[in-house]
Short mmCIF file of all heavy atoms in Angstrom, two decimals:
data_model
loop_
_atom_site.label_atom_id
_atom_site.label_comp_id
_atom_site.label_asym_id
_atom_site.label_seq_id
_atom_site.Cartn_x
_atom_site.Cartn_y
_atom_site.Cartn_z
N SER G 166 -30.22 51.23 22.91
CA SER G 166 -29.81 51.88 21.67
C SER G 166 -28.44 52.52 21.85
O SER G 166 -28.02 52.80 22.98
CB SER G 166 -30.82 52.94 21.23
OG SER G 166 -30.83 54.03 22.13
N ILE G 167 -27.77 52.73 20.73
CA ILE G 167 -26.47 53.39 20.74
C ILE G 167 -26.56 54.61 19.84
O ILE G 167 -26.93 54.48 18.67
CB ILE G 167 -25.35 52.46 20.28
CG1 ILE G 167 -25.28 51.21 21.15
CG2 ILE G 167 -24.01 53.21 20.31
CD1 ILE G 167 -24.22 50.21 20.72
N ASN G 168 -26.24 55.77 20.37
CA ASN G 168 -26.23 56.97 19.57
C ASN G 168 -24.88 57.07 18.85
O ASN G 168 -24.62 56.34 17.91
CB ASN G 168 -26.54 58.19 20.43
CG ASN G 168 -27.91 58.08 21.08
OD1 ASN G 168 -28.82 57.45 20.54
ND2 ASN G 168 -28.07 58.68 22.25
N PHE G 169 -24.03 57.93 19.30
CA PHE G 169 -22.72 58.07 18.68
C PHE G 169 -21.78 56.97 19.13
O PHE G 169 -21.83 56.51 20.27
CB PHE G 169 -22.10 59.43 19.01
CG PHE G 169 -22.69 60.57 18.24
CD1 PHE G 169 -23.67 61.37 18.80
CD2 PHE G 169 -22.26 60.86 16.96
CE1 PHE G 169 -24.22 62.42 18.08
CE2 PHE G 169 -22.79 61.92 16.23
CZ PHE G 169 -23.77 62.70 16.80
N MET G 170 -20.91 56.55 18.23
CA MET G 170 -19.77 55.71 18.54
C MET G 170 -18.55 56.40 17.97
O MET G 170 -18.65 57.05 16.91
CB MET G 170 -19.92 54.30 17.94
CG MET G 170 -21.15 53.55 18.41
SD MET G 170 -21.19 51.83 17.83
CE MET G 170 -20.12 51.04 19.06
N GLY G 171 -17.44 56.27 18.64
CA GLY G 171 -16.28 56.99 18.14
C GLY G 171 -14.97 56.49 18.71
O GLY G 171 -14.93 55.55 19.51
N TRP G 172 -13.93 57.15 18.25
CA TRP G 172 -12.57 56.84 18.69
C TRP G 172 -11.89 58.13 19.15
O TRP G 172 -11.98 59.16 18.49
CB TRP G 172 -11.77 56.21 17.54
CG TRP G 172 -12.25 54.87 17.16
CD1 TRP G 172 -13.16 54.57 16.18
CD2 TRP G 172 -11.87 53.62 17.74
NE1 TRP G 172 -13.38 53.22 16.13
CE2 TRP G 172 -12.58 52.61 17.08
CE3 TRP G 172 -10.99 53.26 18.75
CZ2 TRP G 172 -12.45 51.25 17.39
CZ3 TRP G 172 -10.86 51.92 19.09
CH2 TRP G 172 -11.58 50.93 18.40
N TYR G 173 -11.21 58.01 20.26
CA TYR G 173 -10.37 59.07 20.79
C TYR G 173 -8.96 58.52 20.91
O TYR G 173 -8.75 57.31 20.87
CB TYR G 173 -10.87 59.53 22.17
CG TYR G 173 -12.16 60.30 22.14
CD1 TYR G 173 -13.37 59.67 21.84
CD2 TYR G 173 -12.18 61.67 22.41
CE1 TYR G 173 -14.56 60.39 21.81
CE2 TYR G 173 -13.37 62.39 22.40
CZ TYR G 173 -14.55 61.74 22.11
OH TYR G 173 -15.72 62.45 22.08
N ARG G 174 -8.00 59.40 21.05
CA ARG G 174 -6.64 58.94 21.28
C ARG G 174 -5.93 59.87 22.25
O ARG G 174 -6.27 61.05 22.38
CB ARG G 174 -5.86 58.85 19.96
CG ARG G 174 -5.58 60.18 19.29
CD ARG G 174 -4.95 59.96 17.92
NE ARG G 174 -4.66 61.22 17.24
CZ ARG G 174 -4.21 61.29 15.98
NH1 ARG G 174 -4.02 60.19 15.28
NH2 ARG G 174 -3.96 62.48 15.46
N GLN G 175 -4.94 59.29 22.90
CA GLN G 175 -4.14 60.07 23.84
C GLN G 175 -2.69 59.68 23.69
O GLN G 175 -2.31 58.54 23.92
CB GLN G 175 -4.61 59.83 25.28
CG GLN G 175 -3.94 60.74 26.29
CD GLN G 175 -4.63 60.72 27.64
OE1 GLN G 175 -5.39 59.82 27.96
NE2 GLN G 175 -4.39 61.75 28.44
N ALA G 176 -1.90 60.66 23.28
CA ALA G 176 -0.46 60.48 23.16
C ALA G 176 0.20 60.85 24.48
O ALA G 176 -0.37 61.62 25.27
CB ALA G 176 0.08 61.34 22.02
N PRO G 177 1.40 60.34 24.73
CA PRO G 177 2.09 60.66 26.00
C PRO G 177 2.23 62.16 26.19
O PRO G 177 2.67 62.89 25.28
CB PRO G 177 3.45 59.99 25.82
CG PRO G 177 3.21 58.88 24.87
CD PRO G 177 2.17 59.39 23.91
N GLY G 178 1.84 62.63 27.35
CA GLY G 178 1.96 64.05 27.68
C GLY G 178 0.92 64.94 27.04
O GLY G 178 1.00 66.17 27.17
N LYS G 179 -0.05 64.36 26.35
CA LYS G 179 -1.07 65.16 25.68
C LYS G 179 -2.46 64.78 26.19
O LYS G 179 -2.66 63.73 26.78
CB LYS G 179 -1.00 64.96 24.16
CG LYS G 179 0.28 65.49 23.54
CD LYS G 179 0.20 65.45 22.03
CE LYS G 179 1.43 66.05 21.39
NZ LYS G 179 1.35 66.04 19.90
N GLN G 180 -3.40 65.67 25.93
CA GLN G 180 -4.78 65.39 26.33
C GLN G 180 -5.43 64.43 25.35
O GLN G 180 -5.03 64.33 24.18
CB GLN G 180 -5.57 66.71 26.37
CG GLN G 180 -5.19 67.62 27.52
CD GLN G 180 -6.14 68.80 27.66
OE1 GLN G 180 -6.71 69.27 26.68
NE2 GLN G 180 -6.31 69.30 28.87
N ARG G 181 -6.43 63.76 25.83
CA ARG G 181 -7.21 62.88 24.96
C ARG G 181 -7.95 63.74 23.94
O ARG G 181 -8.53 64.78 24.28
CB ARG G 181 -8.20 62.05 25.78
CG ARG G 181 -8.88 60.94 25.01
CD ARG G 181 -9.72 60.07 25.92
NE ARG G 181 -8.91 59.38 26.92
CZ ARG G 181 -9.39 58.42 27.72
NH1 ARG G 181 -10.66 58.05 27.63
NH2 ARG G 181 -8.61 57.85 28.61
N GLU G 182 -7.94 63.29 22.69
CA GLU G 182 -8.58 64.06 21.63
C GLU G 182 -9.46 63.16 20.78
O GLU G 182 -9.21 61.96 20.63
CB GLU G 182 -7.53 64.71 20.73
CG GLU G 182 -6.64 63.75 19.99
CD GLU G 182 -5.67 64.43 19.01
OE1 GLU G 182 -5.70 65.67 18.90
OE2 GLU G 182 -4.91 63.71 18.36
N LEU G 183 -10.49 63.78 20.22
CA LEU G 183 -11.38 63.05 19.32
C LEU G 183 -10.66 62.77 18.01
O LEU G 183 -10.04 63.65 17.43
CB LEU G 183 -12.64 63.88 19.05
CG LEU G 183 -13.59 63.32 18.00
CD1 LEU G 183 -14.27 62.06 18.51
CD2 LEU G 183 -14.64 64.36 17.61
N VAL G 184 -10.76 61.53 17.56
CA VAL G 184 -10.23 61.16 16.25
C VAL G 184 -11.36 61.16 15.22
O VAL G 184 -11.27 61.81 14.18
CB VAL G 184 -9.58 59.76 16.31
CG1 VAL G 184 -9.12 59.34 14.92
CG2 VAL G 184 -8.43 59.74 17.30
N ALA G 185 -12.42 60.44 15.53
CA ALA G 185 -13.56 60.36 14.61
C ALA G 185 -14.75 59.80 15.37
O ALA G 185 -14.59 59.07 16.35
CB ALA G 185 -13.24 59.45 13.43
N ARG G 186 -15.94 60.17 14.92
CA ARG G 186 -17.12 59.57 15.50
C ARG G 186 -18.20 59.47 14.44
O ARG G 186 -18.18 60.18 13.42
CB ARG G 186 -17.61 60.32 16.73
CG ARG G 186 -18.20 61.67 16.51
CD ARG G 186 -18.78 62.18 17.84
NE ARG G 186 -19.55 63.38 17.67
CZ ARG G 186 -20.37 63.86 18.60
NH1 ARG G 186 -20.50 63.24 19.76
NH2 ARG G 186 -21.04 64.96 18.39
N ILE G 187 -19.15 58.59 14.71
CA ILE G 187 -20.19 58.29 13.72
C ILE G 187 -21.52 58.16 14.44
O ILE G 187 -21.62 57.52 15.51
CB ILE G 187 -19.83 57.01 12.93
CG1 ILE G 187 -20.87 56.72 11.86
CG2 ILE G 187 -19.63 55.81 13.85
CD1 ILE G 187 -20.41 55.65 10.86
N GLY G 188 -22.54 58.77 13.87
CA GLY G 188 -23.87 58.69 14.44
C GLY G 188 -24.58 57.41 14.04
O GLY G 188 -24.12 56.67 13.17
N SER G 189 -25.72 57.18 14.65
CA SER G 189 -26.46 55.96 14.37
C SER G 189 -26.94 55.91 12.92
O SER G 189 -27.13 54.82 12.36
CB SER G 189 -27.66 55.83 15.32
OG SER G 189 -28.49 56.97 15.21
N GLY G 190 -27.10 57.07 12.31
CA GLY G 190 -27.52 57.12 10.91
C GLY G 190 -26.38 57.16 9.93
O GLY G 190 -26.60 57.17 8.71
N GLY G 191 -25.15 57.16 10.45
CA GLY G 191 -23.99 57.12 9.57
C GLY G 191 -23.28 58.45 9.37
O GLY G 191 -22.27 58.51 8.66
N SER G 192 -23.78 59.52 9.98
CA SER G 192 -23.08 60.80 9.85
C SER G 192 -21.75 60.72 10.58
O SER G 192 -21.65 60.11 11.65
CB SER G 192 -23.93 61.93 10.43
OG SER G 192 -24.17 61.69 11.80
N THR G 193 -20.72 61.32 9.99
CA THR G 193 -19.37 61.21 10.55
C THR G 193 -18.73 62.57 10.73
O THR G 193 -19.09 63.53 10.05
CB THR G 193 -18.46 60.37 9.64
OG1 THR G 193 -18.39 60.99 8.35
CG2 THR G 193 -18.97 58.95 9.50
N ASN G 194 -17.81 62.65 11.65
CA ASN G 194 -16.91 63.79 11.69
C ASN G 194 -15.53 63.31 12.15
O ASN G 194 -15.42 62.33 12.89
CB ASN G 194 -17.46 64.94 12.55
CG ASN G 194 -17.68 64.57 13.99
OD1 ASN G 194 -18.59 63.84 14.31
ND2 ASN G 194 -16.83 65.10 14.87
N TYR G 195 -14.53 64.01 11.66
CA TYR G 195 -13.15 63.62 11.86
C TYR G 195 -12.31 64.79 12.36
O TYR G 195 -12.59 65.95 12.06
CB TYR G 195 -12.52 63.15 10.54
CG TYR G 195 -13.12 61.92 9.93
CD1 TYR G 195 -14.21 61.99 9.07
CD2 TYR G 195 -12.59 60.66 10.23
CE1 TYR G 195 -14.75 60.85 8.51
CE2 TYR G 195 -13.12 59.51 9.67
CZ TYR G 195 -14.21 59.61 8.82
OH TYR G 195 -14.74 58.46 8.27
N ALA G 196 -11.27 64.46 13.08
CA ALA G 196 -10.27 65.47 13.41
C ALA G 196 -9.58 65.87 12.12
O ALA G 196 -9.37 65.03 11.22
CB ALA G 196 -9.25 64.91 14.40
N ASP G 197 -9.21 67.14 12.01
CA ASP G 197 -8.56 67.61 10.79
C ASP G 197 -7.30 66.81 10.49
O ASP G 197 -6.96 66.58 9.32
CB ASP G 197 -8.21 69.10 10.93
CG ASP G 197 -9.43 69.99 10.86
OD1 ASP G 197 -10.50 69.53 10.38
OD2 ASP G 197 -9.34 71.15 11.28
N SER G 198 -6.61 66.38 11.51
CA SER G 198 -5.33 65.70 11.33
C SER G 198 -5.46 64.32 10.69
O SER G 198 -4.47 63.76 10.21
CB SER G 198 -4.61 65.57 12.68
OG SER G 198 -5.41 64.84 13.60
N VAL G 199 -6.67 63.76 10.68
CA VAL G 199 -6.83 62.41 10.13
C VAL G 199 -7.74 62.39 8.90
O VAL G 199 -7.91 61.32 8.28
CB VAL G 199 -7.36 61.43 11.19
CG1 VAL G 199 -6.51 61.45 12.44
CG2 VAL G 199 -8.83 61.72 11.52
N LYS G 200 -8.31 63.51 8.54
CA LYS G 200 -9.21 63.55 7.38
C LYS G 200 -8.48 63.08 6.14
O LYS G 200 -7.35 63.48 5.87
CB LYS G 200 -9.74 64.98 7.17
CG LYS G 200 -10.85 65.36 8.11
CD LYS G 200 -11.33 66.79 7.83
CE LYS G 200 -12.43 67.19 8.80
NZ LYS G 200 -12.85 68.60 8.61
N GLY G 201 -9.15 62.21 5.39
CA GLY G 201 -8.58 61.69 4.17
C GLY G 201 -7.70 60.47 4.38
O GLY G 201 -7.31 59.80 3.41
N ARG G 202 -7.37 60.18 5.63
CA ARG G 202 -6.52 59.02 5.92
C ARG G 202 -7.26 57.96 6.74
O ARG G 202 -7.02 56.76 6.56
CB ARG G 202 -5.27 59.45 6.70
CG ARG G 202 -4.41 60.46 5.97
CD ARG G 202 -3.09 60.71 6.71
NE ARG G 202 -3.31 61.29 8.04
CZ ARG G 202 -2.89 60.71 9.17
NH1 ARG G 202 -2.25 59.54 9.14
NH2 ARG G 202 -3.10 61.29 10.34
N PHE G 203 -8.13 58.38 7.63
CA PHE G 203 -8.87 57.47 8.49
C PHE G 203 -10.32 57.39 8.05
O PHE G 203 -10.88 58.38 7.59
CB PHE G 203 -8.83 57.93 9.94
CG PHE G 203 -7.48 57.82 10.62
CD1 PHE G 203 -6.32 57.56 9.91
CD2 PHE G 203 -7.39 58.00 11.99
CE1 PHE G 203 -5.09 57.47 10.54
CE2 PHE G 203 -6.17 57.92 12.64
CZ PHE G 203 -5.02 57.66 11.91
N THR G 204 -10.91 56.22 8.21
CA THR G 204 -12.32 56.04 7.90
C THR G 204 -13.01 55.32 9.06
O THR G 204 -12.56 54.24 9.46
CB THR G 204 -12.51 55.24 6.61
OG1 THR G 204 -11.86 55.90 5.54
CG2 THR G 204 -14.00 55.09 6.29
N ILE G 205 -14.07 55.93 9.55
CA ILE G 205 -14.84 55.30 10.62
C ILE G 205 -16.11 54.71 10.03
O ILE G 205 -16.71 55.28 9.11
CB ILE G 205 -15.16 56.31 11.75
CG1 ILE G 205 -15.75 55.58 12.96
CG2 ILE G 205 -16.08 57.42 11.26
CD1 ILE G 205 -15.86 56.47 14.21
N SER G 206 -16.51 53.56 10.54
CA SER G 206 -17.75 52.93 10.10
C SER G 206 -18.33 52.15 11.28
O SER G 206 -17.66 51.96 12.29
CB SER G 206 -17.50 52.01 8.90
OG SER G 206 -16.58 50.98 9.25
N ARG G 207 -19.56 51.73 11.12
CA ARG G 207 -20.18 50.96 12.20
C ARG G 207 -21.14 49.93 11.63
O ARG G 207 -21.69 50.11 10.54
CB ARG G 207 -20.88 51.87 13.20
CG ARG G 207 -22.07 52.62 12.67
CD ARG G 207 -22.57 53.67 13.68
NE ARG G 207 -23.40 53.08 14.72
CZ ARG G 207 -23.89 53.78 15.75
NH1 ARG G 207 -23.60 55.07 15.87
NH2 ARG G 207 -24.66 53.19 16.67
N ASP G 208 -21.33 48.89 12.39
CA ASP G 208 -22.31 47.86 12.06
C ASP G 208 -23.32 47.87 13.20
O ASP G 208 -23.04 47.37 14.29
CB ASP G 208 -21.63 46.50 11.93
CG ASP G 208 -22.58 45.39 11.50
OD1 ASP G 208 -23.79 45.50 11.78
OD2 ASP G 208 -22.10 44.42 10.90
N ASN G 209 -24.47 48.45 12.96
CA ASN G 209 -25.46 48.60 14.03
C ASN G 209 -25.98 47.24 14.52
O ASN G 209 -26.32 47.09 15.69
CB ASN G 209 -26.62 49.47 13.56
CG ASN G 209 -26.21 50.92 13.39
OD1 ASN G 209 -25.29 51.40 14.06
ND2 ASN G 209 -26.87 51.62 12.49
N ALA G 210 -26.06 46.27 13.63
CA ALA G 210 -26.55 44.95 14.03
C ALA G 210 -25.59 44.28 15.01
O ALA G 210 -26.01 43.47 15.84
CB ALA G 210 -26.76 44.08 12.81
N LYS G 211 -24.32 44.63 14.91
CA LYS G 211 -23.30 44.02 15.77
C LYS G 211 -22.84 44.97 16.88
O LYS G 211 -21.96 44.62 17.66
CB LYS G 211 -22.09 43.59 14.95
CG LYS G 211 -22.38 42.51 13.93
CD LYS G 211 -21.13 42.13 13.15
CE LYS G 211 -21.42 41.02 12.15
NZ LYS G 211 -20.18 40.65 11.38
N ASN G 212 -23.44 46.17 16.92
CA ASN G 212 -23.02 47.16 17.92
C ASN G 212 -21.52 47.37 17.90
O ASN G 212 -20.86 47.46 18.96
CB ASN G 212 -23.48 46.76 19.34
CG ASN G 212 -24.96 46.82 19.52
OD1 ASN G 212 -25.65 47.58 18.82
ND2 ASN G 212 -25.50 46.04 20.43
N THR G 213 -20.98 47.46 16.71
CA THR G 213 -19.53 47.53 16.54
C THR G 213 -19.14 48.74 15.70
O THR G 213 -19.80 49.05 14.71
CB THR G 213 -19.00 46.25 15.89
OG1 THR G 213 -19.32 45.13 16.73
CG2 THR G 213 -17.50 46.30 15.71
N VAL G 214 -18.06 49.38 16.12
CA VAL G 214 -17.51 50.51 15.37
C VAL G 214 -16.09 50.13 14.92
O VAL G 214 -15.38 49.41 15.62
CB VAL G 214 -17.50 51.80 16.22
CG1 VAL G 214 -16.63 51.65 17.47
CG2 VAL G 214 -17.08 53.00 15.41
N TYR G 215 -15.74 50.61 13.74
CA TYR G 215 -14.46 50.30 13.15
C TYR G 215 -13.71 51.60 12.83
O TYR G 215 -14.32 52.63 12.56
CB TYR G 215 -14.63 49.50 11.86
CG TYR G 215 -15.46 48.25 12.00
CD1 TYR G 215 -16.83 48.29 11.75
CD2 TYR G 215 -14.89 47.05 12.40
CE1 TYR G 215 -17.61 47.15 11.88
CE2 TYR G 215 -15.66 45.90 12.54
CZ TYR G 215 -17.02 45.96 12.28
OH TYR G 215 -17.78 44.82 12.41
N LEU G 216 -12.41 51.50 12.81
CA LEU G 216 -11.58 52.61 12.38
C LEU G 216 -10.48 52.06 11.48
O LEU G 216 -9.63 51.29 11.93
CB LEU G 216 -10.96 53.36 13.56
CG LEU G 216 -10.19 54.63 13.20
CD1 LEU G 216 -11.16 55.71 12.69
CD2 LEU G 216 -9.40 55.17 14.39
N GLN G 217 -10.56 52.41 10.21
CA GLN G 217 -9.52 52.04 9.27
C GLN G 217 -8.54 53.19 9.17
O GLN G 217 -8.94 54.31 8.82
CB GLN G 217 -10.12 51.72 7.90
CG GLN G 217 -9.10 51.33 6.84
CD GLN G 217 -8.34 50.07 7.21
OE1 GLN G 217 -8.90 49.11 7.75
NE2 GLN G 217 -7.04 50.06 6.92
N MET G 218 -7.29 52.93 9.45
CA MET G 218 -6.27 53.98 9.47
C MET G 218 -5.26 53.69 8.37
O MET G 218 -4.59 52.65 8.39
CB MET G 218 -5.58 54.01 10.83
CG MET G 218 -6.55 54.19 12.00
SD MET G 218 -5.72 54.25 13.60
CE MET G 218 -5.21 52.55 13.76
N ASN G 219 -5.17 54.60 7.42
CA ASN G 219 -4.23 54.47 6.30
C ASN G 219 -3.20 55.60 6.36
O ASN G 219 -3.40 56.60 7.04
CB ASN G 219 -4.97 54.53 4.97
CG ASN G 219 -5.94 53.37 4.81
OD1 ASN G 219 -5.72 52.28 5.32
ND2 ASN G 219 -7.03 53.63 4.09
N SER G 220 -2.13 55.42 5.61
CA SER G 220 -1.08 56.45 5.54
C SER G 220 -0.69 56.93 6.93
O SER G 220 -0.61 58.13 7.21
CB SER G 220 -1.56 57.63 4.69
OG SER G 220 -1.92 57.20 3.40
N LEU G 221 -0.42 55.99 7.79
CA LEU G 221 -0.13 56.33 9.19
C LEU G 221 1.18 57.10 9.32
O LEU G 221 2.14 56.88 8.58
CB LEU G 221 -0.10 55.07 10.04
CG LEU G 221 -1.50 54.53 10.40
CD1 LEU G 221 -1.43 53.07 10.80
CD2 LEU G 221 -2.11 55.36 11.50
N LYS G 222 1.18 58.02 10.28
CA LYS G 222 2.33 58.87 10.54
C LYS G 222 2.80 58.64 11.98
O LYS G 222 2.01 58.24 12.84
CB LYS G 222 1.95 60.33 10.37
CG LYS G 222 1.36 60.68 9.03
CD LYS G 222 0.90 62.13 8.99
CE LYS G 222 0.29 62.50 7.65
NZ LYS G 222 -0.15 63.92 7.62
N PRO G 223 4.05 58.93 12.26
CA PRO G 223 4.52 58.78 13.64
C PRO G 223 3.68 59.56 14.65
O PRO G 223 3.49 59.11 15.79
CB PRO G 223 5.95 59.33 13.58
CG PRO G 223 6.39 59.04 12.18
CD PRO G 223 5.15 59.25 11.33
N GLU G 224 3.14 60.68 14.22
CA GLU G 224 2.32 61.49 15.14
C GLU G 224 0.96 60.86 15.42
O GLU G 224 0.21 61.37 16.25
CB GLU G 224 2.14 62.91 14.61
CG GLU G 224 1.68 63.02 13.18
CD GLU G 224 2.85 63.23 12.22
OE1 GLU G 224 3.90 62.56 12.38
OE2 GLU G 224 2.70 64.05 11.30
N ASP G 225 0.63 59.77 14.75
CA ASP G 225 -0.60 59.03 15.06
C ASP G 225 -0.39 58.08 16.24
O ASP G 225 -1.35 57.47 16.73
CB ASP G 225 -1.07 58.23 13.86
CG ASP G 225 -1.51 59.11 12.70
OD1 ASP G 225 -2.19 60.12 12.95
OD2 ASP G 225 -1.15 58.78 11.55
N THR G 226 0.85 57.96 16.69
CA THR G 226 1.15 57.09 17.81
C THR G 226 0.42 57.56 19.06
O THR G 226 0.53 58.72 19.47
CB THR G 226 2.67 57.06 18.08
OG1 THR G 226 3.33 56.49 16.95
CG2 THR G 226 2.99 56.25 19.32
N ALA G 227 -0.34 56.65 19.65
CA ALA G 227 -1.14 57.00 20.83
C ALA G 227 -1.87 55.75 21.31
O ALA G 227 -1.88 54.72 20.63
CB ALA G 227 -2.17 58.09 20.49
N VAL G 228 -2.48 55.87 22.47
CA VAL G 228 -3.45 54.88 22.91
C VAL G 228 -4.81 55.31 22.38
O VAL G 228 -5.22 56.46 22.59
CB VAL G 228 -3.49 54.74 24.44
CG1 VAL G 228 -4.56 53.74 24.86
CG2 VAL G 228 -2.12 54.33 24.98
N TYR G 229 -5.47 54.42 21.69
CA TYR G 229 -6.76 54.71 21.08
C TYR G 229 -7.87 54.10 21.93
O TYR G 229 -7.82 52.92 22.30
CB TYR G 229 -6.82 54.15 19.66
CG TYR G 229 -6.04 55.00 18.68
CD1 TYR G 229 -4.64 55.07 18.74
CD2 TYR G 229 -6.69 55.75 17.70
CE1 TYR G 229 -3.92 55.86 17.86
CE2 TYR G 229 -5.97 56.55 16.80
CZ TYR G 229 -4.60 56.59 16.90
OH TYR G 229 -3.89 57.37 16.02
N TYR G 230 -8.87 54.92 22.23
CA TYR G 230 -9.99 54.51 23.06
C TYR G 230 -11.28 54.59 22.25
O TYR G 230 -11.54 55.60 21.59
CB TYR G 230 -10.13 55.42 24.28
CG TYR G 230 -8.96 55.40 25.21
CD1 TYR G 230 -7.90 56.29 25.06
CD2 TYR G 230 -8.90 54.50 26.27
CE1 TYR G 230 -6.81 56.29 25.92
CE2 TYR G 230 -7.83 54.48 27.15
CZ TYR G 230 -6.79 55.38 26.96
OH TYR G 230 -5.74 55.37 27.84
N CYS G 231 -12.09 53.56 22.33
CA CYS G 231 -13.41 53.66 21.73
C CYS G 231 -14.39 54.22 22.76
O CYS G 231 -14.21 54.06 23.97
CB CYS G 231 -13.89 52.35 21.15
SG CYS G 231 -14.09 51.02 22.33
N ASN G 232 -15.40 54.85 22.24
CA ASN G 232 -16.38 55.53 23.07
C ASN G 232 -17.75 55.36 22.45
O ASN G 232 -17.87 55.32 21.22
CB ASN G 232 -16.01 57.01 23.16
CG ASN G 232 -17.14 57.89 23.70
OD1 ASN G 232 -17.94 58.43 22.93
ND2 ASN G 232 -17.20 58.02 25.00
N ALA G 233 -18.76 55.23 23.29
CA ALA G 233 -20.11 55.11 22.75
C ALA G 233 -21.10 55.75 23.72
O ALA G 233 -20.93 55.67 24.94
CB ALA G 233 -20.47 53.65 22.53
N GLU G 234 -22.10 56.39 23.16
CA GLU G 234 -23.21 56.93 23.95
C GLU G 234 -24.33 55.89 23.90
O GLU G 234 -24.95 55.70 22.86
CB GLU G 234 -23.69 58.26 23.36
CG GLU G 234 -22.66 59.36 23.46
CD GLU G 234 -23.14 60.65 22.82
OE1 GLU G 234 -24.28 60.70 22.35
OE2 GLU G 234 -22.36 61.62 22.79
N ILE G 235 -24.57 55.25 25.03
CA ILE G 235 -25.46 54.09 25.06
C ILE G 235 -26.62 54.34 26.00
O ILE G 235 -26.45 54.82 27.12
CB ILE G 235 -24.68 52.84 25.51
CG1 ILE G 235 -23.59 52.51 24.49
CG2 ILE G 235 -25.62 51.65 25.69
CD1 ILE G 235 -22.68 51.37 24.89
#
Side-chain angles (χ1 to χ4, degrees):
S166 68
I167 302 178
N168 299 331
F169 283 98
M170 301 186 82
W172 292 93
Y173 289 71
R174 67 187 180 186
Q175 188 166 18
K179 295 188 176 181
Q180 289 189 331
R181 190 174 297 189
E182 63 175 359
L183 173 69
V184 176
R186 70 173 189 166
I187 182 168
S189 57
S192 61
T193 59
N194 61 288
Y195 296 89
D197 287 343
S198 59
V199 307
K200 282 180 181 176
R202 300 187 298 121
F203 291 11
T204 302
I205 190 169
S206 60
R207 65 189 280 176
D208 184 333
N209 290 332
K211 296 180 179 180
N212 291 335
T213 300
V214 62
Y215 306 94
L216 186 68
Q217 179 62 39
M218 304 181 289
N219 297 329
S220 303
L221 282 160
K222 304 175 181 180
E224 50 264 43
D225 294 318
T226 296
V228 177
Y229 284 68
Y230 298 91
C231 62
N232 166 268
E234 294 178 2
I235 297 175

